[in-house]
Amino acid sequence: MDEIEKEVEKADLCLVVGTSSTVHPAAGFVNTIRQRGGKVAVFNVEWTRGWTPDFLFLGPCEETLPDALGTNK
């Protein structure tokens, strides 16, 4: 966890992939990155209401993630 927290402290983008981001400690990473001015991109089949990501990609992650990253062939 210490190594993960160090990396989160340096990050300026958080990709939330295939989860509602409600289970801690991982759910707290979004707030840590946002507080430092970072952006959050969510890739999921549904949107978890109660918070708004900077980027929202709804649909199966195996389709939306490669499309967004430009790696879909």
Side-chain angles (χ1 to χ4, degrees), residues 46-62:
E46 61 185 16
W47 172 42
T48 302
R49 303 206 182 271
W51 65 287
T52 304
D54 298 290
F55 308 98
L56 179 61
F57 301 90
L58 294 178
C61 300
E62 63 272 13

Side-chain angles (χ1 to χ4, degrees), residues 28-70:
F29 299 156
V30 167
N31 292 332
T32 300
I33 292 169
R34 271 220 161 131
Q35 288 171 351
R36 293 186 18 265
K39 303 292 183 189
V40 177
V42 172
F43 297 83
N44 203 5
V45 292
E46 61 185 16
W47 172 42
T48 302
R49 303 206 182 271
W51 65 287
T52 304
D54 298 290
F55 308 98
L56 179 61
F57 301 90
L58 294 178
C61 300
E62 63 272 13
E63 295 173 10
T64 57
L65 189 59
D67 284 346
L69 298 178

Side-chain angles (χ1 to χ4, degrees), residues 9-28:
E9 288 296 327
K10 297 186 286 185
D12 60 3
L13 174 64
C14 180
L15 300 180
V16 179
V17 181
T19 179
S20 62
S21 192
T22 59
V23 177
H24 287 274

